[in-house]
Structures are given as structure tokens and as C-alpha cells.
Amino acid sequence: MSYNKKTFIAPNSIDSMSAIHCKIYDDGKAIVRLSDCHGSIRWHNQITDLKERKEFLEKLGNSITELQNLKNHIENEFTI
């Protein structure tokens, strides 16, 4: 495996097992799993193929953008 990282996304919560787990296998299969208490989503592509690599990067980029947009909206609209 060339990349393997798991991060708890609410590390200070004793009630949450939410995590993001990213892997790239030696054969080029890339997987991102985002999980919370009730389910998970998984993105995967074969990144040794140029078309699939571009698609995977697009999935990641669009997800990052929309999560940042949501974060900004919450920070701007609600008192923390």
C-alpha cells in the first residue's frame, strides 16, 4: 500500500466515531471512505488510468469545495 491514513473527524468527541480513511493500493486503486455513526460513503477510482485519475481528482476537488462552502455558510450565518 502506498498511502494509508485514517483520521477521526471529531477527535475530541467521546460520542463520535466519524472518520475519513484514505488509501492508495500498490496497484493504483484509490479509495476514500467518509463515515459517521449511521453510514458511510466511498469514492474509488483506478488512478493509474489518466481518465479515472482526473475523475477522482474532480470528485475530491468538488467535495472539498462544497464542504468549504457549507463551513463558510455556517460560520457566517450562525453564532459559534
Side-chain angles (χ1 to χ4, degrees), residues 4-70:
N4 185 16
K5 179 158 178 149
K6 183 175 184 179
T7 303
F8 290 99
I9 54 179
N12 295 321
S13 172
I14 62 170
D15 297 321
S16 177
M17 292 296 291
S18 299
I20 185 166
H21 193 174
C22 305
K23 295 181 181 182
I24 300 175
Y25 292 94
D26 291 334
D27 67 357
K29 183 176 182 178
I31 299 174
V32 173
R33 182 184 304 269
L34 182 62
S35 305
D36 72 2
C37 299
H38 301 288
S40 66
I41 59 167
R42 186 177 85 151
W43 298 285
H44 60 90
N45 281 79
Q46 186 67 32
I47 61 172
T48 55
D49 178 84
L50 179 61
K51 181 180 176 186
E52 287 201 39
R53 184 168 59 248
K54 286 180 179 180
E55 180 180 281
F56 193 65
L57 291 171
E58 184 176 27
K59 289 177 188 179
L60 294 175
N62 288 336
S63 299
I64 291 165
T65 298
E66 290 309 315
L67 289 169
Q68 187 63 54
N69 289 342
L70 176 61

